[in-house]
Amino acid sequence: MSAVDKYNVESAEILANSALHLPITQAAPIYEQLLSIFPTAAKYWRQYVEAQMVVNNDDATKQIFSRCLLNCLHVPLWRCYIRFIRKANDKKGVEGQEETRKAFDFMLSYVGADIASGPVWMEYIAFLKSLPATNTQEESQRMTAVRKAYQKAIVTPTHHIEQLWRDYENFENSVSRQLAKGLLSEYQPKYTSARAVYRELKKYVDEIDWNMLAVPPTDSCKDQMQWVAWKRLLAFEKGNPQRIDSASNKRIIFSYEQCLMYLYHYPDIWYDYATWHAKSGSMDAAVKVFQRALKALPDSEMLKYAYAELEESRGAIPSAKKLYESILGDAAQTTALAHIQFIRFLRRNEGVEAARKYFLDARKSPSCTYHVYVAYALMAFCLDKDPKVAHNVFEAGMKHFMHEPLYILEYADFLSCLNDDRNIRALFERALSSLPQEESIEIWKRFTQFERTYGDLATMLKVEQRRKEALSGTSEEGDSALETSLQDLISRYSFKDLWPCSSKDLDHLSRQEWLAKNIGKKVEKSALSDGSAATDKSSSAATGISAASLKVLRPDTSQMVIYDPKQHQGTAVPANTTASNLSNPVASVVGAVSNPLLNPSVSMLDSGSANTFDEVLKATPPALIAFLTSLPAVEGPTPNVDIVLSICLQSDLPTGQTKKSTNLTSQRTTGPAPSTSDLSGSSKSHPIPRRQLG
Amino acid sequence: MVNVCRETSAGQDTKGSTKSFPKHETRHLSEHKNIARCARFSPDGMFVATGSADTSIKLFEISKIKQMMLPDSKDGPVRPVIRTFYDHEQPINDLDFHPQSTVLISGAKDNTIKFFDFSKATAKRAFRVIQDTHNVRSVAFHPSGDFLIAGTDHPVAHLYDVNTFQCYLSANPPEIGVNGAINQVRYSSTGGMYVTASKDGAIRLWDGVSASCVRSIVGAHRTAEATSACFTKDQRFVLSCGKDSTVKLWEIGTGRLVKQYLGATHTQLRCQAVFSDTEEFVLSIDESSNEIVIWDALTGEKVAKWPSNHIGSPRWIEHSPTEPAFISCGTDRSVRFWKEIL
């Protein structure tokens, strides 16, 4: 709660606003407090320093600038600084001018790359132009300085790049028309490229909230989007869009520094920044970044490990060791992981003995869990190739961690590396005799696996039987009590990813498992509705949201009719004998007309059985069939029923049944509609024509 | 939505200002080998599945989609498709997720409903199959998960018991003409009702317990096909869409038309009209301009028209039940995800 409150942005804003109206002596502590929480909040620094400048508190002003400038690459803040410098040096003549020029150079080396630095460049150029020149030599020096400044400014992607270019053109033309042509044509492409980069860069910069205060990362969407926006900008700068060699790294550093003003509490940014430095070869810069990162996030273990890794990999062992020691902290807070990593570090850099010594100390620590034993034992075994020490460590650990199933499993793994089956069996038996049932599940699992690899058939079966008996009551194995023994057999006779059955068989078995689960569920439900209708325990537990908030209404199938779609063979549904009223009439019609027609169609349909044919006819409107069958034998041009139907059937592929049937349906509505309605007598359009006739 | 209902049932047009629909960003997710025909979100909004004319079903994990949409994911390209199922012989028509377990069902032109268990990474085929008699155009699970309802070329919906596969029909269906094939069937939130949208242009409401038809809105979309229908969460209204280029909101209690959402042309495809997750907005498709059209559900005013980004009009649109995000499926075979820009 307090951690959240500490970074409360709204109350910080209110506080900062209130400070605006207070005399500086009262406001200063408020600013100090704010800035201790938000050390990179340039806007507060600026407000603070401006308040000091108003009352001409020069020493305090200088002191504040020295605290904030290098960490806050923020153009408005730096412009404050230059204002202060200019004011202080205005009346000091040449010396003062030199000071101001130095301050400008200093400033531009830090924030000259900012997209908002255009006015700073302009101010600088104006300042250079304003310097007095008493002779031609000084004049030409001044001109060179101005030219240099312009040439830097017009290759920097800023909001004012176009204006700066125009100013530069004017400047060169005012100096010498002849020289101007050559210089401008030389700089034109550089400027054009910078302007193109500016347009691209602006898109990324516009995504960033430059007013944001640096708060620890939350899962809020705004924070996430800001993180994304910064990552995009950094990626853009890393792509070196201007294709310049010297300044590109400077721009990347500048972007990282700015990013960290806002994402000050994001370890990933610090880490990226440091590793970027390390990769580009400047280890010292990387170390400095890590040091700053740890100042920003003193509790971040990740960053400490990252820093230690960098130090260790460049051979700075004492410094790395110090970091490990700081991770260990004081004894009360040490974690098991810190012990383990320190032991490994010592083993790597100071040798076996140092690691052993530390392990012996760590054993006594209250934070020493079984992990430390396992880690040290494995180190002794795998690195020192000393199985005896490893074995002793595991055995010593048993005194403390007998009750930890995971420790037992690790120990068993180790023993199986030694191929020590006698001891493994003894270990399993020892563990199973002391562990409670619900904690022994994994042990039993491993035990059976072990017997499958090491045992003979009799021990294998015996352990599986024992396991079943031991676990029959637990929830975990509730299903496997129902499990078919076939599944046990499959697991006995499979090896790695080879199975004694096809994947189809496996699917089949898992389907049965699913069914079995559902059987259980159903029984549970009906038992409940029989007994107490009031309690709704089982369903709410099983169905989560829907049942918790809504009462679900279940279909009452006794109010419905059963539909027997005459299932194909091979589906799971048993054939139902009760025929529905829907399929009935069809079926009878089929019986009446089928025989003479069936033969040609059956030979054509591959999956052909009476069923397929039934369905085709079923899909055919009963009225059409009735119509066809009841056609009177008239002389003259009349369609042959057999031909009509066989054509219908021939064009009917087994996969396309439904398409066909819909076609038939629609044909019927457009084609012989009047005659069918005659037969069914249900047409509503009927009475109307009759009335017209009569 | 409760507010919306109070206003609309009072029969008054609200004076309140129309809400603006937040900006969305969109991303191409995946490509089927043929037209992407349908999509469905899981009830918890964690997954979405799409079905295609290429007979395949793709299952996406929403968190992975979002990860993919981050511009600079460190771990290289993220693949949001976590499963692909190939088991049908004909194009997929509709999909639904089991309300509680990791089971996805599909209805297809091959007259089958197939069950896929997506908890297993390796199973590509169905673990259960229902063989129906007709083209299965639409499927929906009952909220209990023990039943499912299928809309087929048959004018009466087929209710299946998921455990026994027994199929049930309404005992006393109303007389339905020859063109009664069901384009869509959807359950209400409690399972107390289901709604069917038919080719004959009618919207029919059925009692979820007895399966008797409680209301037929014949000619809801005149003679044009009704292509989609769904309930509001409070089960008081039904939103329907038809090939007459209208989207309509019906009050279930009275059968009265309470709202129309006009201005989107859809005459060719099996167009969907859906609610946003908060039911503040209605989304549908304009086929002629190839745009996604969004209305304020309350005022009926059009609030946005966005290019679909598909080549040719999308076939299907489906909104997440839990967050401001939706999915569109195209005749161009592609699947796009849309998500509010935050």
Side-chain angles (χ1 to χ4, degrees), chain B residues 22-48:
Chain B
K23 264 192 180 173
H24 279 53
E25 56 186 318
T26 178
R27 187 72 173 264
H28 173 268
L29 278 193
S30 183
E31 197 103 342
H32 279 282
K33 295 193 181 70
N34 205 332
I35 296 169
R37 291 168 57 87
C38 55
R40 202 74 178 270
F41 280 88
S42 65
D44 56 9
M46 307 263 280
F47 300 95
V48 68

mmCIF file of all heavy atoms in Angstrom, chain B residues 22-48:
data_model
loop_
_atom_site.group_PDB
_atom_site.id
_atom_site.type_symbol
_atom_site.label_atom_id
_atom_site.label_comp_id
_atom_site.label_asym_id
_atom_site.label_seq_id
_atom_site.Cartn_x
_atom_site.Cartn_y
_atom_site.Cartn_z
ATOM 1 N N PRO B 22 -14.345 3.222 -29.856
ATOM 2 C CA PRO B 22 -12.902 3.486 -29.786
ATOM 3 C C PRO B 22 -12.156 2.962 -31.008
ATOM 4 O O PRO B 22 -12.589 2.006 -31.647
ATOM 5 C CB PRO B 22 -12.468 2.743 -28.522
ATOM 6 C CG PRO B 22 -13.612 1.921 -28.088
ATOM 7 C CD PRO B 22 -14.839 2.378 -28.763
ATOM 8 N N LYS B 23 -11.044 3.600 -31.289
ATOM 9 C CA LYS B 23 -10.192 3.188 -32.404
ATOM 10 C C LYS B 23 -9.662 1.779 -32.168
ATOM 11 O O LYS B 23 -9.340 1.410 -31.047
ATOM 12 C CB LYS B 23 -8.988 4.125 -32.482
ATOM 13 C CG LYS B 23 -9.116 5.250 -33.450
ATOM 14 C CD LYS B 23 -7.738 5.866 -33.593
ATOM 15 C CE LYS B 23 -7.690 7.024 -34.528
ATOM 16 N NZ LYS B 23 -6.369 7.659 -34.466
ATOM 17 N N HIS B 24 -9.552 1.040 -33.240
ATOM 18 C CA HIS B 24 -8.984 -0.304 -33.140
ATOM 19 C C HIS B 24 -7.764 -0.409 -34.039
ATOM 20 O O HIS B 24 -7.650 0.294 -35.031
ATOM 21 C CB HIS B 24 -10.000 -1.351 -33.594
ATOM 22 C CG HIS B 24 -11.011 -1.706 -32.541
ATOM 23 N ND1 HIS B 24 -11.767 -0.764 -31.883
ATOM 24 C CD2 HIS B 24 -11.403 -2.906 -32.041
ATOM 25 C CE1 HIS B 24 -12.574 -1.374 -31.028
ATOM 26 N NE2 HIS B 24 -12.368 -2.674 -31.102
ATOM 27 N N GLU B 25 -6.877 -1.301 -33.656
ATOM 28 C CA GLU B 25 -5.812 -1.668 -34.591
ATOM 29 C C GLU B 25 -6.113 -3.077 -35.090
ATOM 30 O O GLU B 25 -6.768 -3.866 -34.411
ATOM 31 C CB GLU B 25 -4.440 -1.621 -33.916
ATOM 32 C CG GLU B 25 -4.325 -2.477 -32.679
ATOM 33 C CD GLU B 25 -2.996 -2.273 -31.963
ATOM 34 O OE1 GLU B 25 -1.974 -2.184 -32.653
ATOM 35 O OE2 GLU B 25 -3.007 -2.216 -30.723
ATOM 36 N N THR B 26 -5.657 -3.387 -36.281
ATOM 37 C CA THR B 26 -5.972 -4.696 -36.838
ATOM 38 C C THR B 26 -4.720 -5.355 -37.358
ATOM 39 O O THR B 26 -3.766 -4.703 -37.736
ATOM 40 C CB THR B 26 -7.027 -4.588 -37.952
ATOM 41 O OG1 THR B 26 -7.246 -5.888 -38.490
ATOM 42 C CG2 THR B 26 -6.580 -3.658 -39.061
ATOM 43 N N ARG B 27 -4.765 -6.683 -37.338
ATOM 44 C CA ARG B 27 -3.578 -7.431 -37.749
ATOM 45 C C ARG B 27 -4.003 -8.698 -38.459
ATOM 46 O O ARG B 27 -4.938 -9.357 -38.055
ATOM 47 C CB ARG B 27 -2.783 -7.791 -36.484
ATOM 48 C CG ARG B 27 -1.441 -8.427 -36.728
ATOM 49 C CD ARG B 27 -0.461 -7.412 -37.270
ATOM 50 N NE ARG B 27 0.864 -8.032 -37.329
ATOM 51 C CZ ARG B 27 1.786 -7.907 -36.384
ATOM 52 N NH1 ARG B 27 1.549 -7.174 -35.328
ATOM 53 N NH2 ARG B 27 2.950 -8.487 -36.508
ATOM 54 N N HIS B 28 -3.310 -9.002 -39.543
ATOM 55 C CA HIS B 28 -3.519 -10.259 -40.246
ATOM 56 C C HIS B 28 -2.958 -11.375 -39.380
ATOM 57 O O HIS B 28 -1.810 -11.335 -38.956
ATOM 58 C CB HIS B 28 -2.784 -10.181 -41.578
ATOM 59 C CG HIS B 28 -2.788 -11.461 -42.332
ATOM 60 N ND1 HIS B 28 -1.795 -12.395 -42.220
ATOM 61 C CD2 HIS B 28 -3.682 -11.969 -43.205
ATOM 62 C CE1 HIS B 28 -2.079 -13.423 -43.002
ATOM 63 N NE2 HIS B 28 -3.210 -13.192 -43.602
ATOM 64 N N LEU B 29 -3.807 -12.360 -39.064
ATOM 65 C CA LEU B 29 -3.393 -13.400 -38.135
ATOM 66 C C LEU B 29 -2.867 -14.628 -38.827
ATOM 67 O O LEU B 29 -1.854 -15.192 -38.458
ATOM 68 C CB LEU B 29 -4.598 -13.868 -37.309
ATOM 69 C CG LEU B 29 -5.033 -13.085 -36.112
ATOM 70 C CD1 LEU B 29 -5.996 -13.932 -35.338
ATOM 71 C CD2 LEU B 29 -3.844 -12.727 -35.265
ATOM 72 N N SER B 30 -3.619 -15.050 -39.824
ATOM 73 C CA SER B 30 -3.304 -16.333 -40.411
ATOM 74 C C SER B 30 -4.063 -16.470 -41.711
ATOM 75 O O SER B 30 -4.956 -15.676 -42.006
ATOM 76 C CB SER B 30 -3.712 -17.440 -39.443
ATOM 77 O OG SER B 30 -3.344 -18.684 -39.968
ATOM 78 N N GLU B 31 -3.679 -17.476 -42.461
ATOM 79 C CA GLU B 31 -4.281 -17.674 -43.774
ATOM 80 C C GLU B 31 -4.748 -19.117 -43.856
ATOM 81 O O GLU B 31 -3.998 -20.041 -43.548
ATOM 82 C CB GLU B 31 -3.213 -17.412 -44.834
ATOM 83 C CG GLU B 31 -3.768 -17.197 -46.196
ATOM 84 C CD GLU B 31 -3.767 -15.708 -46.581
ATOM 85 O OE1 GLU B 31 -3.665 -14.824 -45.698
ATOM 86 O OE2 GLU B 31 -3.891 -15.455 -47.767
ATOM 87 N N HIS B 32 -5.995 -19.315 -44.247
ATOM 88 C CA HIS B 32 -6.434 -20.665 -44.564
ATOM 89 C C HIS B 32 -6.112 -20.945 -46.025
ATOM 90 O O HIS B 32 -5.729 -20.052 -46.775
ATOM 91 C CB HIS B 32 -7.942 -20.783 -44.327
ATOM 92 C CG HIS B 32 -8.320 -20.989 -42.883
ATOM 93 N ND1 HIS B 32 -8.200 -22.201 -42.253
ATOM 94 C CD2 HIS B 32 -8.812 -20.134 -41.946
ATOM 95 C CE1 HIS B 32 -8.608 -22.085 -41.003
ATOM 96 N NE2 HIS B 32 -8.975 -20.840 -40.772
ATOM 97 N N LYS B 33 -6.311 -22.210 -46.424
ATOM 98 C CA LYS B 33 -6.031 -22.538 -47.824
ATOM 99 C C LYS B 33 -7.242 -22.263 -48.703
ATOM 100 O O LYS B 33 -7.183 -22.399 -49.922
ATOM 101 C CB LYS B 33 -5.608 -24.000 -47.939
ATOM 102 C CG LYS B 33 -4.289 -24.265 -47.231
ATOM 103 C CD LYS B 33 -3.737 -25.615 -47.619
ATOM 104 C CE LYS B 33 -2.428 -25.893 -46.905
ATOM 105 N NZ LYS B 33 -2.617 -26.118 -45.453
ATOM 106 N N ASN B 34 -8.339 -21.953 -48.071
ATOM 107 C CA ASN B 34 -9.520 -21.561 -48.830
ATOM 108 C C ASN B 34 -10.288 -20.569 -47.963
ATOM 109 O O ASN B 34 -9.843 -20.231 -46.862
ATOM 110 C CB ASN B 34 -10.352 -22.807 -49.170
ATOM 111 C CG ASN B 34 -11.195 -22.583 -50.404
ATOM 112 O OD1 ASN B 34 -11.573 -21.459 -50.711
ATOM 113 N ND2 ASN B 34 -11.483 -23.654 -51.113
ATOM 114 N N ILE B 35 -11.443 -20.132 -48.461
ATOM 115 C CA ILE B 35 -12.223 -19.108 -47.764
ATOM 116 C C ILE B 35 -12.375 -19.411 -46.265
ATOM 117 O O ILE B 35 -12.681 -20.536 -45.883
ATOM 118 C CB ILE B 35 -13.617 -19.023 -48.410
ATOM 119 C CG1 ILE B 35 -13.466 -18.554 -49.854
ATOM 120 C CG2 ILE B 35 -14.531 -18.100 -47.634
ATOM 121 C CD1 ILE B 35 -14.741 -18.690 -50.657
ATOM 122 N N ALA B 36 -12.109 -18.405 -45.437
ATOM 123 C CA ALA B 36 -12.361 -18.544 -44.005
ATOM 124 C C ALA B 36 -13.834 -18.243 -43.783
ATOM 125 O O ALA B 36 -14.315 -17.178 -44.145
ATOM 126 C CB ALA B 36 -11.485 -17.571 -43.219
ATOM 127 N N ARG B 37 -14.566 -19.205 -43.221
ATOM 128 C CA ARG B 37 -16.028 -19.114 -43.232
ATOM 129 C C ARG B 37 -16.641 -18.727 -41.891
ATOM 130 O O ARG B 37 -17.758 -18.218 -41.848
ATOM 131 C CB ARG B 37 -16.624 -20.455 -43.662
ATOM 132 C CG ARG B 37 -16.371 -20.790 -45.113
ATOM 133 C CD ARG B 37 -16.732 -22.249 -45.376
ATOM 134 N NE ARG B 37 -18.105 -22.564 -45.033
ATOM 135 C CZ ARG B 37 -19.136 -22.419 -45.860
ATOM 136 N NH1 ARG B 37 -18.934 -21.952 -47.061
ATOM 137 N NH2 ARG B 37 -20.349 -22.739 -45.471
ATOM 138 N N CYS B 38 -15.975 -19.026 -40.800
ATOM 139 C CA CYS B 38 -16.618 -18.754 -39.516
ATOM 140 C C CYS B 38 -15.577 -18.641 -38.413
ATOM 141 O O CYS B 38 -14.430 -19.076 -38.585
ATOM 142 C CB CYS B 38 -17.607 -19.872 -39.156
ATOM 143 S SG CYS B 38 -16.872 -21.499 -39.148
ATOM 144 N N ALA B 39 -15.984 -18.058 -37.305
ATOM 145 C CA ALA B 39 -15.071 -17.897 -36.168
ATOM 146 C C ALA B 39 -15.887 -17.900 -34.895
ATOM 147 O O ALA B 39 -17.056 -17.521 -34.892
ATOM 148 C CB ALA B 39 -14.305 -16.590 -36.283
ATOM 149 N N ARG B 40 -15.275 -18.330 -33.810
ATOM 150 C CA ARG B 40 -15.978 -18.308 -32.531
ATOM 151 C C ARG B 40 -14.976 -18.122 -31.403
ATOM 152 O O ARG B 40 -13.907 -18.721 -31.430
ATOM 153 C CB ARG B 40 -16.710 -19.649 -32.345
ATOM 154 C CG ARG B 40 -17.872 -19.579 -31.373
ATOM 155 C CD ARG B 40 -19.078 -18.862 -31.986
ATOM 156 N NE ARG B 40 -20.211 -18.838 -31.092
ATOM 157 C CZ ARG B 40 -21.141 -19.788 -31.052
ATOM 158 N NH1 ARG B 40 -21.072 -20.805 -31.865
ATOM 159 N NH2 ARG B 40 -22.140 -19.707 -30.210
ATOM 160 N N PHE B 41 -15.335 -17.306 -30.428
ATOM 161 C CA PHE B 41 -14.507 -17.126 -29.236
ATOM 162 C C PHE B 41 -14.928 -18.125 -28.172
ATOM 163 O O PHE B 41 -16.103 -18.503 -28.086
ATOM 164 C CB PHE B 41 -14.686 -15.725 -28.661
ATOM 165 C CG PHE B 41 -13.907 -14.659 -29.367
ATOM 166 C CD1 PHE B 41 -14.437 -14.000 -30.461
ATOM 167 C CD2 PHE B 41 -12.643 -14.316 -28.939
ATOM 168 C CE1 PHE B 41 -13.717 -13.015 -31.121
ATOM 169 C CE2 PHE B 41 -11.916 -13.329 -29.576
ATOM 170 C CZ PHE B 41 -12.451 -12.675 -30.670
ATOM 171 N N SER B 42 -13.996 -18.527 -27.327
ATOM 172 C CA SER B 42 -14.377 -19.335 -26.177
ATOM 173 C C SER B 42 -15.082 -18.423 -25.172
ATOM 174 O O SER B 42 -14.855 -17.215 -25.171
ATOM 175 C CB SER B 42 -13.147 -19.986 -25.552
ATOM 176 O OG SER B 42 -12.283 -19.016 -25.029
ATOM 177 N N PRO B 43 -15.937 -18.993 -24.307
ATOM 178 C CA PRO B 43 -16.725 -18.134 -23.400
ATOM 179 C C PRO B 43 -15.858 -17.288 -22.476
ATOM 180 O O PRO B 43 -16.258 -16.215 -22.071
ATOM 181 C CB PRO B 43 -17.571 -19.131 -22.596
ATOM 182 C CG PRO B 43 -17.430 -20.439 -23.245
ATOM 183 C CD PRO B 43 -16.250 -20.410 -24.165
ATOM 184 N N ASP B 44 -14.641 -17.756 -22.153
ATOM 185 C CA ASP B 44 -13.766 -16.972 -21.290
ATOM 186 C C ASP B 44 -12.929 -15.977 -22.087
ATOM 187 O O ASP B 44 -12.109 -15.261 -21.513
ATOM 188 C CB ASP B 44 -12.866 -17.891 -20.463
ATOM 189 C CG ASP B 44 -12.046 -18.826 -21.337
ATOM 190 O OD1 ASP B 44 -12.047 -18.646 -22.568
ATOM 191 O OD2 ASP B 44 -11.407 -19.741 -20.791
ATOM 192 N N GLY B 45 -13.092 -15.965 -23.408
ATOM 193 C CA GLY B 45 -12.361 -15.012 -24.236
ATOM 194 C C GLY B 45 -10.880 -15.321 -24.388
ATOM 195 O O GLY B 45 -10.127 -14.488 -24.877
ATOM 196 N N MET B 46 -10.463 -16.519 -23.988
ATOM 197 C CA MET B 46 -9.031 -16.843 -24.047
ATOM 198 C C MET B 46 -8.625 -17.425 -25.401
ATOM 199 O O MET B 46 -7.449 -17.401 -25.766
ATOM 200 C CB MET B 46 -8.684 -17.886 -22.977
ATOM 201 C CG MET B 46 -9.112 -17.504 -21.605
ATOM 202 S SD MET B 46 -7.783 -16.801 -20.714
ATOM 203 C CE MET B 46 -6.924 -18.278 -20.237
ATOM 204 N N PHE B 47 -9.591 -17.999 -26.109
ATOM 205 C CA PHE B 47 -9.276 -18.635 -27.379
ATOM 206 C C PHE B 47 -10.250 -18.165 -28.445
ATOM 207 O O PHE B 47 -11.353 -17.714 -28.158
ATOM 208 C CB PHE B 47 -9.400 -20.164 -27.274
ATOM 209 C CG PHE B 47 -8.490 -20.777 -26.254
ATOM 210 C CD1 PHE B 47 -8.938 -21.038 -24.975
ATOM 211 C CD2 PHE B 47 -7.183 -21.074 -26.577
ATOM 212 C CE1 PHE B 47 -8.098 -21.589 -24.033
ATOM 213 C CE2 PHE B 47 -6.332 -21.627 -25.654
ATOM 214 C CZ PHE B 47 -6.790 -21.883 -24.374
ATOM 215 N N VAL B 48 -9.813 -18.314 -29.700
ATOM 216 C CA VAL B 48 -10.741 -18.124 -30.791
ATOM 217 C C VAL B 48 -10.406 -19.180 -31.829
ATOM 218 O O VAL B 48 -9.241 -19.538 -32.022
ATOM 219 C CB VAL B 48 -10.677 -16.686 -31.356
ATOM 220 C CG1 VAL B 48 -9.361 -16.406 -32.051
ATOM 221 C CG2 VAL B 48 -11.832 -16.418 -32.287
#
